Amino acid sequence: MNKFRNDFPLFKAIDEKNSVDNSGLVYLDTAATAQRPYIVLNAMTHFYATQNANPLRGLYSLSERATKAYEDARETVAKFINAPSAKEIIFTRNTSEGLNLIANTYGIAHVNAGDEIVISIMEHHSNILPWQYIRDTKGAVLKFMYVDKETGEIPESEYAKITPKTKIVSLTHVSNVLGTTNPIKKIAEIAHKNGAVMVVDGAQSTPHIKVDVQDLGADFFAMSGHKLCGPMGIGAVWGRLELLEAMPPFLRGGEMIEYVTEESATWAEVPHKFEAGTVSAGDAVGMAAAIRYIQSVGLDTITEHDNALAVRLIEGMKKIPHVNIIGNKDGTKRCGIVTFTVDGVHPHDIATLLSEENIAIRAGHHCAQPLGAYLGEPATARASLYFYNTEEEIDALLENVAKLRKWSGFSDR
């Protein structure tokens, strides 16, 4: 897998004044954002250099080429997650905006007082706050499914919280803290039997495992480009066409209308009804290039590599005194995400001390404060791995984690 590191300029970037040297960086924060390969950067540069025009409305060849590039990107996203139609792909800024779009359109229109929304305690804030808003606005009930603290998985007994009163079930596909892959297909079947729709947060799953929205039984699926080696500021929502067509628009303005009078307006067809204003065409092109790159590496290959590194890291951490792994101890069930604490060393200090050794990890609540409160761990350290990481980097992390207590003044013997 080491050959792929050469595709990423950041790992060898040295600026003209030699004030930045990333050649020795151990980057273990991909769950926050992935690095970008040359092919993505070049695709975006090519778009702005040769196709830069406002898509959709310009009746001249340059605008038509920009429109084609943008719509080709939509088609690439659709095929990547096996959406039935590219018309069902709505470009957003990120997963967070996508989940807000779903909540503020489908949720507002279909949830009423006394209805129930079911999520899990492991959700990212982006999949909690929109539903809290719908609860508070519509007088609904928000229910949490809890996880087993040892396995990091939702026990099947928790599925009983999905009832005929449930209108929406919204779950992360892969937890950004525990690395747990939720059984979306099974839960979607229960949701549908009770007349609810299934919303899936795919921010962490799409970079690591194959996603088939039809096989999952999802009704909506949200994802981000920057987790997939694409640019920041671009993401996508997939929704079943009949649901999208019946939903009101999220934002109103240019491009998303068919006709406007002084008194009223009619909306453009899906997906443009949900894409108000000038679209981020260059970023969409970059996201599509990232998807094609990920596909060239191979998601099966990525999954195998991520799991192997996670196993190596977890097994190594088990041998270090005072290190506590949060959640499942089986690296093959972590999607490359390993969260841990060290007795007596605050997670922020862990990240800072490792940074001095040129190792980048994440520390804090990871935008999942309810989960931290439930686990009794308000802050943790997180190493998140990807196909461009190596065994040598895992060993470097382990070597330095073993020194953290000594660096913090403890006299372990």
Side-chain angles (χ1 to χ4, degrees):
M1 298 295 286
N2 290 4
K3 64 181 180 180
F4 294 110
R5 290 180 67 85
N6 293 326
D7 296 337
F8 293 83
L10 183 131
F11 293 132
K12 50 189 174 182
I14 302 175
D15 71 2
E16 295 177 356
K17 298 181 181 179
N18 290 321
S19 61
V20 174
D21 183 357
N22 293 328
S23 56
L25 174 66
V26 178
Y27 184 77
L28 301 173
D29 195 23
T30 291
T33 196
Q35 294 304 326
R36 283 108 195 125
Y38 284 108
I39 196 168
V40 170
L41 304 176
N42 292 342
M44 295 173 68
T45 298
H46 177 76
F47 174 83
Y48 285 117
T50 68
Q51 298 167 301
N52 184 41
N54 206 316
L56 306 178
R57 296 294 184 181
L59 300 178
Y60 52 94
S61 61
L62 182 60
S63 179
E64 290 170 353
R65 295 204 309 271
T67 300
K68 184 178 187 305
Y70 184 64
E71 295 303 330
D72 284 351
R74 196 189 307 278
E75 187 72 38
T76 298
V77 175
K79 291 179 179 178
F80 181 58
I81 60 173
N82 195 31
S85 169
K87 289 179 64 177
E88 297 172 330
I89 299 297
I90 302 161
F91 281 117
T92 61
R93 289 186 304 148
N94 43 47
T95 304
S96 297
E97 183 175 286
L99 292 167
N100 274 274
L101 183 155
I102 297 164
N104 282 274
T105 53
Y106 185 88
I108 286 289
H110 292 86
V111 176
N112 297 303
D115 290 341
E116 296 175 351
I117 302 165
V118 177
I119 61 176
S120 82
I121 197 66
M122 72 174 76
E123 300 307 316
H124 190 282
H125 293 165
S126 296
N127 201 29
I128 298 176
L129 300 183
W131 306 117
Q132 288 181 340
Y133 171 74
I134 300 302
R135 175 199 63 193
D136 297 342
T137 302
K138 302 303 294 279
V141 177
L142 182 61
K143 297 164 69 174
F144 287 81
M145 293 190 289
Y146 293 93
V147 301
D148 182 289
K149 294 182 180 180
E150 291 299 317
T151 66
E153 298 173 351
I154 303 172
E156 290 194 9
S157 58
E158 289 291 291
Y159 301 168
K161 292 179 177 177
I162 303 171
T163 74
K165 291 184 178 180
T166 305
K167 297 299 181 185
I168 294 170
V169 179
S170 189
L171 291 180
T172 182
H173 196 179
V174 171
S175 166
N176 73 310
V177 177
L178 301 172
T180 304
T181 302
N182 282 316
I184 297 297
K185 186 173 184 177
K186 180 185 294 186
I187 295 172
E189 290 175 356
I190 298 170
H192 293 154
K193 285 179 182 178
N194 284 279
V197 300
M198 186 76 222
V199 180
V200 182
D201 172 355
Q204 294 296 337
S205 61
T206 45
H208 297 280
I209 60 178
K210 285 184 177 178
V211 170
D212 183 334
V213 293
Q214 297 184 70
D215 183 64
L216 285 174
D219 298 294
F220 296 100
F221 188 94
M223 59 189 288
S224 291
H226 73 104
K227 312 279 191 186
L228 282 162
C229 299
M232 296 181 182
I234 190 73
V237 161
W238 168 80
R240 289 197 290 115
L241 186 60
E242 62 268 29
L243 298 180
L244 296 176
E245 288 179 337
M247 286 157 45
F250 180 41
L251 301 173
R252 291 163 170 79
E255 308 291 358
M256 52 74 64
I257 53 86
E258 180 183 47
Y259 196 77
V260 179
T261 69
E262 292 184 25
E263 292 79 23
S264 64
T266 55
W267 315 128
E269 293 183 351
V270 173
H272 304 296
K273 176 172 71 172
F274 297 102
E275 295 178 356
T278 297
V279 296
S280 189
D283 289 333
V285 167
M287 183 176 179
I291 286 172
R292 290 191 294 271
Y293 175 75
I294 292 297
Q295 290 172 322
S296 73
V297 176
L299 276 160
D300 288 339
T301 301
I302 290 172
T303 299
E304 181 180 355
H305 184 71
D306 292 348
N307 289 348
L309 291 187
V311 168
R312 188 182 188 92
L313 179 54
I314 287 176
E315 292 306 311
M317 283 185 168
K318 288 178 181 178
K319 299 174 183 177
I320 304 174
H322 301 287
V323 173
N324 312 293
I325 299 164
I326 309 301
N328 205 304
K329 310 301 187 294
D330 182 350
T332 64
K333 295 184 176 181
R334 302 291 304 226
C335 264
I337 294 172
V338 179
T339 311
F340 65 99
T341 61
V342 178
D343 293 339
V345 186
H346 194 280
H348 291 172
D349 294 330
I350 294 174
T352 300
L353 290 167
L354 291 176
S355 179
E356 293 177 0
E357 303 302 315
N358 214 14
I359 298 173
I361 68 164
R362 179 71 45 165
H365 53 65
H366 314 297
C367 293
Q369 286 180 297
L371 176 62
Y374 172 72
L375 296 175
E377 300 286 355
T380 56
R382 183 187 71 191
S384 50
L385 324 172
Y386 210 22
F387 64 90
Y388 44 59
N389 292 123
T390 66
E391 292 182 348
E392 291 79 10
E393 290 181 319
I394 299 306
D395 294 342
L397 174 61
L398 289 168
E399 179 183 350
N400 285 281
V401 166
K403 300 175 183 177
L404 287 170
R405 279 178 56 86
K406 181 180 178 181
W407 290 338
S408 300
F410 292 94
S411 55
D412 294 337
R413 296 185 185 277

